Amino acid sequence: VYIVEFKAGRTDLYYVIRVAGDETSAVDNNTNNNNGSNENEITLAIGTHVIVDADRGNDLGRIASLPFSINIILETLRNIIHTQAQNNRNNPGGGNDEHESSSPLQQPSKGGQSAREPHIKHVARVASQQEVFALQAKLMDEEKALTAAQYRARYKKLPMEVVNAEFQWDRNKLTYYYYTIGGQRVDFRDLVRELFKLYKTRIWMFDVSS
């Protein structure tokens, strides 16, 4: 299991078991050789760019840790749940396909509630050189998206500062990172609707005030 890092310091847990050519894929965890070790296990170097399973699609991140033990996994999961609980208090309620206001680790569920149980996702494969080069174009689009949100938030005089924007690799989601000004509650529903109309993708607002 690895920690994979994305833009704005966002991290999550991912597993990888087998490599086929340049691609990684999951296999049965019980597949062992005669010596009792898993012949399918591989090690990815820190800094390796990988394509991973994401919210209704794929994302591109960077390996940020060496493989680690179950005890570290459990401690990381506890920290993730704690972070989710804090963000849920700042952003009550669920989302829909147009916009969502929650942590990127949350999955909306029925009744307007958000599941708080993170799960370890899958590293689909190592990213190609072409995909890594394409990150620059993604960064440029994110800068434009950030400017668009900042302008609209200030025009609407919302008590918030939008500080970062992040497209999911497949462009199925656009996450905005913001902090509140003076601890005020922010009603950004109109802002999110405008951004959804502009980018035609799901919009997530992630509070980094704490």
Side-chain angles (χ1 to χ4, degrees):
V1 175
Y2 294 84
I3 294 176
V4 176
E5 184 177 21
F6 304 88
K7 190 178 179 183
R10 178 172 63 89
T11 59
D12 211 338
L13 296 172
Y14 292 85
Y15 70 89
V16 56
I17 299 177
R18 182 181 62 191
V19 63
D22 290 332
E23 295 188 355
T24 59
S25 59
V27 297
D28 187 345
N29 288 330
N30 296 319
T31 303
N32 297 325
N33 58 22
N34 294 330
N35 296 324
S37 62
N38 192 334
E39 63 183 4
N40 295 295
E41 289 183 353
I42 66 166
T43 300
L44 294 173
I46 293 177
T48 301
H49 287 89
V50 289
I51 300 294
V52 300
D53 291 346
D55 185 10
R56 309 182 197 179
N58 296 308
D59 210 348
L60 190 152
R62 182 179 62 86
I63 297 293
S65 74
L66 295 173
F68 48 85
S69 70
I70 187 64
N71 289 333
I72 297 178
I73 293 173
L74 293 175
E75 179 62 27
T76 302
L77 288 176
R78 283 193 288 267
N79 291 336
I80 289 173
I81 293 172
H82 176 70
T83 300
Q84 287 180 341
Q86 286 184 321
N87 203 61
N88 282 344
R89 287 194 291 270
N90 294 329
N91 296 277
N96 56 39
D97 284 343
E98 289 189 5
H99 60 276
E100 299 176 15
S101 171
S102 56
S103 161
L105 294 172
Q106 292 172 278
Q107 299 296 323
S109 60
K110 293 181 179 179
Q113 300 297 320
S114 295
R116 299 184 183 180
E117 299 179 0
H119 61 283
I120 303 175
K121 296 183 279 293
H122 173 222
V123 174
R125 58 183 174 81
V126 175
S128 68
Q129 190 174 35
Q130 184 177 3
E131 287 169 328
V132 175
F133 287 156
L135 279 174
Q136 188 59 40
K138 176 175 173 285
L139 289 173
M140 293 175 63
D141 290 342
E142 287 167 343
E143 284 298 318
K144 295 176 182 177
L146 175 60
T147 301
Q150 289 174 334
Y151 171 78
R152 286 166 171 78
R154 290 167 185 163
Y155 179 80
K156 296 175 182 296
K157 298 181 179 179
L158 297 175
M160 64 186 294
E161 186 66 33
V162 185
V163 295
N164 216 331
E166 180 185 14
F167 276 109
Q168 190 167 288
W169 177 250
D170 55 16
R171 306 298 178 102
N172 284 341
K173 180 172 69 174
L174 172 56
T175 300
Y176 283 103
Y177 300 87
Y178 73 96
Y179 64 83
T180 58
I181 298 174
Q184 300 181 61
R185 187 176 183 84
V186 184
D187 183 356
F188 43 63
R189 289 174 293 182
D190 287 342
L191 172 64
V192 169
R193 278 192 285 267
E194 288 187 18
L195 293 170
F196 172 75
K197 290 178 181 177
L198 182 62
Y199 291 105
K200 301 296 190 294
T201 191
R202 289 179 299 125
I203 305 296
W204 281 39
M205 304 298 292
F206 184 66
D207 189 354
V208 295
S209 299
S210 58

